[in-house]
């Protein structure tokens, strides 16, 4: 069956002092029954990878360029993230889609290089409140899935994160029925496109205001294989509570 995944996205938070949270986190979970991933800001990645070496915690990137190398000032390639110690890269987060105008085809191109580099792509999809209000959430998600996910995807190199934009950093969370509806839909879409074997092996994360207090009920929803956590991943104690909730399912 699918191995659960607790993924933390530190976003643009943390300097060297934050690395102690990784030590704490690894110490709290010496032999977890699931995967633990932290995606720190790029300048911390190499030090973060060293800090968690030989522990249960892995590290990843938050974005990368679609090209392998070249004249792209300020950008970072998938190979560079891998070289710094990353095993996964978050792609198409709504903050990238909104702040940097990333379109589905951009996310797909990035995912290809990430997969070609032997890393796992965590591809984010999610609707805005406006889109949910006019009740076309599944159309939006369906378009993002078909546009953002490359053909070479497998259960090993792809993770999909459902993150309703209105739930990110707001303390608002969809109902369990709403989460279940979208996750079942994503599963069905993946099975239709990639066949049952691959479709069933891809892990689906929920993201958006996941906290230790609401994690257990969210993890009880069908086709939720873990979480992509922003704010509550910054402190080892909070993230540990989420990991414990996921382990107990
Ligand atoms: P949040 O962020 O947990 O702070 O809501 C989630 C995310 O953006 O991945």
């Amino acid at each position: 069956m699918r191995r659960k995944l607790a993924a933390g996205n530190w976003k643009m938070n943390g300097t060297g002092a934050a690395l102690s949270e990784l030590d704490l986190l690894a110490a709290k979970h010496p032999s977890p029954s699931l995967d633990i991933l932290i995606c720190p800001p790029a300048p911390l990645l190499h030090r973060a990878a060293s800090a968690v070496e030989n522990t249960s915690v892995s590290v990843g990137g938050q974005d990368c360029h679609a090209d392998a190398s070249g004249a792209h000032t300020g950008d970072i390639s998938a190979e560079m993230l891998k070289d710094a110690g990353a095993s996964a890269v978050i792609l198409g987060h709504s903050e990238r889609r909104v702040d940097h105008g990333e379109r589905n085809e951009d996310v797909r191109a990035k995912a290809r290089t990430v997969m070609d580099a032997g890393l796992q792509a965590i591809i984010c999809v999610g609707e805005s409140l406006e889109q949910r209000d006019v009740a076309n959430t599944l159309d939006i998600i369906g378009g993002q899935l078909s546009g953002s996910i490359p053909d070479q995807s497998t259960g090993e190199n792809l993770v999909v994160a459902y993150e309703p934009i209105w739930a990110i950093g707001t303390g608002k969370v969809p109902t369990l029925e709403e989460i279940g509806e979208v996750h079942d839909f994503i599963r069905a879409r993946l099975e239709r496109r990639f066949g049952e074997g691959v479709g069933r092996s891809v892990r689906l994360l929920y993201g958006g205001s996941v906290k230790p207090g609401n994690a257990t009920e969210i993890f009880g929803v069908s086709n939720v294989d873990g979480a992509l956590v922003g704010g509550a991943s910054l402190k080892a104690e909070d993230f540990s509570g989420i990991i414990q909730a996921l382990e107990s399912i």
Side-chain angles (χ1 to χ4, degrees):
M1 267 320 284
R2 296 181 297 272
R3 191 169 161 89
K4 309 271 183 205
L5 170 61
N9 173 11
W10 282 7
K11 307 190 179 184
M12 200 174 72
N13 296 293
T15 57
L19 294 170
S20 60
E21 295 298 326
L22 291 178
D23 297 332
L24 283 172
L25 187 65
K28 280 175 185 285
H29 300 278
S31 48
S33 58
L34 41 67
D35 292 337
I36 302 173
L37 175 77
I38 293 286
C39 299
L44 273 188
L45 186 59
H46 186 63
R47 275 194 286 168
S50 303
V52 300
E53 206 176 350
N54 299 320
T55 74
S56 59
V57 180
S58 303
V59 294
Q62 299 177 9
D63 175 49
C64 71
H65 196 278
D67 290 351
S69 64
H72 302 291
T73 302
D75 280 315
I76 300 169
S77 74
E79 280 293 345
M80 292 170 184
L81 293 173
K82 185 181 181 183
D83 185 53
S87 59
V89 186
I90 298 169
L91 295 172
H93 189 283
S94 61
E95 286 151 18
R96 300 289 318 172
R97 291 179 187 262
V98 172
D99 296 353
H100 300 271
E102 287 190 12
R103 303 155 303 168
N104 290 326
E105 53 265 44
D106 301 317
V107 178
R108 188 183 184 117
K110 291 177 179 204
R112 275 197 217 106
T113 37
V114 164
M115 292 173 179
D116 288 346
L119 301 175
Q120 205 162 57
I122 302 176
I123 296 182
C124 303
V125 297
E127 82 287 359
S128 66
L129 197 52
E130 220 173 30
Q131 289 164 335
R132 179 162 280 278
D133 284 346
V134 296
N136 61 357
T137 298
L138 296 184
D139 288 346
I140 297 295
I141 303 295
Q144 291 174 335
L145 291 172
S146 55
S148 306
I149 297 177
D151 291 335
Q152 73 210 77
S153 300
T154 67
E156 281 78 51
N157 65 17
L158 174 69
V159 173
V160 176
Y162 168 54
E163 300 205 306
I165 297 172
W166 50 275
I168 294 175
T170 59
K172 292 186 190 135
V173 178
T175 65
L176 300 180
E177 290 70 29
E178 286 167 338
I179 294 173
E181 182 191 27
V182 176
H183 278 244
D184 289 349
F185 172 80
I186 295 173
R187 178 72 63 213
R189 279 297 170 101
L190 291 173
E191 286 181 15
R192 194 174 82 183
R193 179 165 165 197
F194 296 103
E196 277 190 5
V198 170
R200 284 189 188 164
S201 64
V202 175
R203 294 181 287 184
L204 308 185
L205 309 182
Y206 168 77
S209 296
V210 178
K211 310 284 176 214
N214 62 16
T216 302
E217 57 178 22
I218 292 172
F219 295 146
V221 175
S222 83
N223 280 313
V224 173
D225 304 309
L228 180 54
V229 182
S233 71
L234 294 171
K235 291 282 168 232
E237 190 168 342
D238 294 337
F239 198 47
S240 179
I242 292 170
I243 292 167
Q244 281 169 32
L246 188 55
E247 273 191 310
S248 66
I249 293 296

